[in-house]
Structures are given as structure tokens and as C-alpha cells.
């Protein structure tokens, strides 16, 4: 029996934020609200569950959602794929929606377009692409493929690139014309 299309959201907040002086990006306030809170509020109506990948300040993130995961051994400090791997056991839906915590201008419409594309070809990864290029951390991934292929990929690669992994599943870009929504907040002075 085919599983119904359902999304679990994973907000990636486990990075080191080196360009921002090492602060915890997800907890930084943008227009009066923490960036992680903005993303939780954005994705929650579209998803059956919301998970945050964080490697510090776990208590603060648990105030936003009940499911918080940290990078699992031995995949710590490898970037976004480490956060995705650590969330695998928490996912009970057909698809995983990933978003980084540092794009607080992202819209519901962008996520709906991504979700609709994923429903049409559900066995592939679907990621946003804009005028500034690929946005692989704004993506919908098929969970069965993810659980089958990610552990093997991590064990057998020396380069933990997200797009490299997507190629093992098959991926399609979804063009989003509002490039300004995908701007990453990487510097303290961008927090307004």
C-alpha cells in the first residue's frame, strides 16, 4: 500500500556560524523574533511534525518544538548531512522538508511550490533554485530513499556535499522567482 504524502520538517540549526562570530544563529533575533521560531511557525502548518537539528542550546530549542536532535557519532561536524542523518529515527512521514534556520524571509508559498513538485514525482529530491543558484538546503526528500541511501553514502564518501548525495537519489530543481526570500543571514549586521 502506498504511503500518503506527508511532511516532517527539519530545521537545520546545528552549524557553527563562523561568519557570525560563533553565535547560535537560530537563536538570533530577526525583526523581533528568533530565526528558529520564525521557521518553526512557517513549517508547522504544512507538516505533521517539526524537528530541529541543533548541537548546542538544546533547552532553548526544546521550547520551540518537542523534537530536537544533535549530530550523531561519527557524523559530527560534517555539515547538513550530519543533521539530516541524526533526524532519521524521528521521521514518521513519507517526506522530509528541510530548511536552514538562517533564511527568515522564506515564504509559505515557496514551500508549497516545493511540496507540490515533490507530490508529482515523490521518489526524487526536490530543491529550490533561484536567480542566485541552487538552494539545496530548501528541499523535500523522500524518506524511504533517505533511510536506504544516506547511511551508505556517509560511510563511503570523503566529501559530504549535499548535492553529491542528492544525485544518489535523483533530484529536480524547483525555480523560485523571489530570490530575496532565500538570503542567508550570515552577519550580525544583517539582523534588523
Amino acid at each position: 500500500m502506498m504511503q500518503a504524502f506527508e511532511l516532517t520538517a527539519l530545521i537545520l540549526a546545528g552549524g557553527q556560524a563562523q561568519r557570525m562570530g560563533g553565535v547560535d544563529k537560530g537563536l538570533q533575533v530577526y525583526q523581533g523574533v528568533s530565526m528558529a521560531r520564525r521557521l518553526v511557525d512557517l513549517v508547522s502548518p504544512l507538516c505533521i511534525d517539526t524537528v530541529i537539528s541543533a548541537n548546542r542550546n538544546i533547552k532553548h530549542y526544546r521550547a520551540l518544538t518537542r523534537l530536537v536532535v544533535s549530530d550523531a557519532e561519527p557524523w559530527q561536524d560534517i555539515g547538513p548531512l550530519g543533521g539530516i542523518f541524526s533526524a532519521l529515527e524521528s521521521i514518521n512521514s513519507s517526506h522530509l522538508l528541510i530548511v536552514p534556520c538562517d533564511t527568515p524571509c522564506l515564504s509559505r508559498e515557496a514551500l508549497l511550490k516545493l511540496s507540490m513538485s515533490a507530490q508529482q514525482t515523490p521518489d526524487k529530491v526536490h530543491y529550490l533554485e533561484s536567480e542566485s543558484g541552487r538552494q539545496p538546503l530548501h528541499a523535500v526528500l523522500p524518506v524511504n530513499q533517505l533511510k536506504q541511501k544516506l547511511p551508505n553514502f556517509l560511510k563511503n564518501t570523503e566529501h559530504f556535499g549535499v548535492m553529491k548525495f542528492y544525485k544518489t537519489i535523483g533530484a529536480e530543481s524547483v525555480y523560485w522567482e523571489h530570490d530575496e526570500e532565500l538570503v542567508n543571514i550570515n552577519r550580525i549586521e544583517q539582523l534588523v
Side-chain angles (χ1 to χ4, degrees):
M1 183 168 82
M2 182 179 246
Q3 185 179 7
F5 184 90
E6 292 180 321
L7 293 169
T8 295
L10 175 62
I11 299 169
L12 298 169
Q16 297 175 358
Q18 292 174 339
R19 290 177 284 182
M20 202 178 251
V23 300
D24 193 332
K25 268 194 196 182
L27 300 178
Q28 300 310 299
V29 174
Y30 180 84
Q31 295 183 354
V33 181
S34 76
M35 290 196 284
R37 164 57 70 194
R38 284 178 164 280
L39 271 298
V40 167
D41 291 346
L42 177 68
V43 301
S44 292
L46 304 174
C47 300
I48 64 167
D49 223 337
T50 301
V51 182
I52 296 177
S53 169
N55 292 311
R56 52 189 165 152
N57 298 308
I58 306 303
K59 181 177 155 187
H60 293 286
Y61 286 112
R62 282 218 173 99
L64 302 176
T65 187
R66 66 183 180 81
L67 290 170
V68 179
V69 297
S70 296
D71 290 353
E73 293 275 349
W75 311 120
Q76 297 168 309
D77 300 320
I78 65 164
L81 291 180
I84 294 169
F85 178 83
S86 65
L88 287 179
E89 290 183 19
S90 304
I91 304 168
N92 295 312
S93 60
S94 65
H95 287 76
L96 180 66
L97 167 67
I98 62 168
V99 292
C101 71
D102 62 358
T103 53
C105 297
L106 187 63
S107 71
R108 183 172 190 255
E109 291 72 26
L111 298 181
L112 287 172
K113 186 172 183 180
L114 194 57
S115 175
M116 288 189 324
S117 180
Q119 289 178 58
Q120 291 175 6
T121 49
D123 291 335
K124 291 185 175 182
V125 173
H126 294 78
Y127 62 91
L128 291 181
E129 186 165 1
S130 66
E131 184 179 323
S132 61
R134 294 176 181 161
Q135 307 290 332
L137 298 184
H138 297 89
V140 173
L141 297 87
V143 171
N144 284 341
Q145 298 266 32
L146 188 57
K147 288 181 176 181
Q148 289 172 17
K149 296 188 176 184
L150 183 57
N152 191 49
F153 176 83
L154 294 176
K155 288 177 192 169
N156 294 300
T157 191
E158 293 179 14
H159 175 68
F160 299 102
V162 174
M163 286 304 299
K164 182 178 178 185
F165 170 64
Y166 287 176
K167 288 178 185 176
T168 68
I169 294 176
E172 292 183 7
S173 67
V174 177
Y175 190 78
W176 187 243
E177 59 275 7
H178 301 290
D179 196 47
E180 69 280 2
E181 292 182 9
L182 302 170
V183 171
N184 294 89
I185 303 297
N186 288 317
R187 297 182 314 277
I188 294 290
E189 58 267 23
Q190 290 176 278
L191 296 168
V192 290

